[in-house]
């Protein structure tokens, strides 16, 4: 990949009875990039160079994904969020900024509610903190291991092969998060919410409600765009806005 840079550190650490893999790039304030469900930190590699001059960038494989431990227990967003919190403590990181796509966005919302002083600013793409895969039976009937040949791209993300991929797809049925207004009100992070207006499984009004609930948030609804609102034709504008947003939230 032409736009990638070499990691200055790669490590797996034992956290909450699982191994969590992460990589570190660049220098500056800590910035964590969190991937979507069925992806891994590889999904963010082509973006790292854009942030590495101003931030020390941490790419993290969330539990079950990438080079982190395969799923052994029932999936929960809460457990994945606790992993990131424990990793930050392990790394002695007291303040962090973050960008999270989908699952990664839900993890950031949960994390910033659990530990309001930790997350200073965050960008949430295609997530609303209130989502249940059981509300989308047609997705579950299609997006599963029986149809893996239709989703070959998943294979590029995961180190442990077909068993790991099957475990991830099987666990999608357990994906559920429902942060209450009270939990959301704990969040102190300055937040940029991003949603493609054609994202099929995240209603626009749910993200508008999240925007209205959070004390310090901005909202960007991206026209003619699906779930990956940061990529493709929107990538240049996303990078411009995300860097301006993250840099503007440096010490007040």
């Amino acid at each position: 990949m032409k736009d990638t840079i070499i990691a200055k550190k790669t490590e797996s650490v034992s956290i909450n009875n699982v191994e969590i893999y992460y990589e570190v790039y660049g220098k500056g304030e800590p910035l964590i990039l969190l991937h979507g469900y069925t992806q891994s930190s590889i999904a963010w590699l082509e973006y790292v160079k854009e942030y590495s001059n101003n931030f020390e960038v941490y790419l993290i494989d969330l539990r079950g994904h990438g080079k982190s431990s395969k799923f052994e227990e029932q999936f929960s967003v809460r457990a994945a969020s606790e992993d990131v919190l424990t990793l930050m403590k392990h790394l002695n990181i007291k303040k962090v900024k973050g960008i999270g796509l989908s699952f990664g966005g839900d993890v950031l919302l949960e994390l910033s509610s659990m530990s309001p002083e930790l997350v200073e600013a965050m960008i949430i793409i295609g997530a609303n903190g209130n989502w249940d895969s059981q509300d989308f039976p047609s997705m579950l009937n299609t997006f599963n291991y029986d149809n893996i040949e239709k989703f070959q791209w998943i294979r590029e993300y995961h180190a442990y092969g077909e068993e790991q991929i099957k475990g991830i797809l099987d666990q999608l049925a357990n994906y559920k998060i429902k942060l209450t207004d009270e939990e959301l009100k704990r969040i102190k992070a300055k937040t940029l919410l991003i949603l493609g207006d054609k994202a099929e499984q995240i209603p626009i009004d749910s993200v508008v409600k999240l925007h209205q609930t959070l004390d310090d948030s901005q909202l960007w609804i991206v026209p003619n765009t699906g779930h990956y609102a940061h990529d493709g034709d929107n990538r240049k504008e996303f990078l411009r806005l995300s860097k301006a947003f993250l840099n503007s939230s440096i010490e007040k």
Side-chain angles (χ1 to χ4, degrees):
M1 296 181 183
K2 293 180 181 178
D3 294 333
T4 59
I5 60 175
I6 303 299
K8 66 181 186 181
K9 180 182 180 182
T10 64
E11 185 180 34
S12 288
V13 294
S14 182
I15 283 173
N16 302 333
N17 298 315
V18 296
E19 292 291 317
I20 298 297
Y21 175 82
Y22 70 96
E23 301 177 350
V24 188
Y25 301 80
K27 59 184 179 180
E29 293 183 293
L31 172 69
I32 56 175
L33 303 185
L34 303 181
H35 60 80
Y37 200 85
T38 73
Q39 294 183 333
S40 74
S41 57
I42 289 172
W44 282 114
L45 272 178
E46 292 187 351
Y47 290 77
V48 169
K49 188 175 181 180
E50 295 286 343
Y51 301 108
S52 60
N53 286 333
N54 294 315
F55 297 97
E56 186 169 63
V57 182
Y58 291 78
L59 299 189
I60 302 169
D61 283 345
L62 298 169
R63 64 162 52 201
H65 293 72
K67 295 180 181 179
S68 292
S69 296
K70 301 189 293 284
F71 282 123
E72 301 291 345
E73 301 175 355
Q74 181 170 311
F75 167 76
S76 81
V77 177
R78 177 81 179 192
S81 306
E82 288 172 346
D83 293 341
V84 177
L85 177 58
T86 306
L87 179 62
M88 295 299 99
K89 290 178 179 176
H90 170 77
L91 296 171
N92 198 30
I93 292 175
K94 302 287 195 290
K95 289 277 188 183
V96 70
K97 297 178 181 179
I99 305 176
L101 169 66
S102 192
F103 170 35
D106 280 334
V107 168
L108 274 178
L109 286 165
E110 183 102 58
L111 175 66
S112 57
S113 176
M114 290 163 51
S115 184
E117 301 301 329
L118 173 65
V119 184
E120 182 182 7
M122 60 183 177
I123 298 172
I124 309 294
I125 309 162
N128 61 9
N130 184 3
W131 196 83
D132 189 337
S133 64
Q134 295 298 322
D135 293 335
F136 302 93
S138 61
M139 178 196 71
L140 292 174
N141 289 335
T142 302
F143 196 38
N144 56 56
Y145 193 75
D146 290 341
N147 295 320
I148 187 60
E149 298 308 320
K150 296 179 181 178
F151 308 110
Q152 292 278 351
W153 52 267
I154 295 177
R155 290 180 164 138
E156 73 182 85
Y157 291 124
H158 304 293
Y160 306 120
E162 298 303 300
E163 179 186 358
Q164 181 183 24
I165 293 167
K166 184 177 187 305
I168 292 168
L169 289 169
D170 287 351
Q171 289 278 4
L172 182 58
N174 297 319
Y175 194 119
K176 183 176 183 178
I177 181 173
K178 187 171 179 59
L179 295 174
T180 65
D181 285 356
E182 181 182 356
E183 289 171 318
L184 292 170
K185 284 292 186 182
R186 294 178 195 153
I187 294 173
K188 296 182 179 180
K190 179 179 177 180
T191 305
L192 173 60
L193 302 169
I194 301 175
L195 183 72
D197 67 345
K198 297 186 184 304
E200 294 180 2
Q201 289 146 9
I202 306 287
I204 289 178
D205 60 357
S206 70
V207 179
V208 171
K209 181 179 184 297
L210 178 60
H211 168 51
Q212 293 169 339
T213 303
L214 295 174
D215 287 336
D216 187 1
S217 70
Q218 301 171 31
L219 175 61
W220 179 29
I221 302 295
V222 189
N224 301 310
T225 300
H227 194 50
Y228 298 98
H230 66 302
D231 209 355
D233 292 341
N234 302 309
R235 178 173 170 169
K236 185 175 180 180
E237 183 66 358
F238 166 76
L239 287 168
R240 185 186 72 80
L241 287 176
S242 65
K243 287 190 286 187
F245 176 83
L246 292 168
N247 286 322
S248 71
S249 58
I250 292 171
E251 293 299 320
K252 297 175 182 178

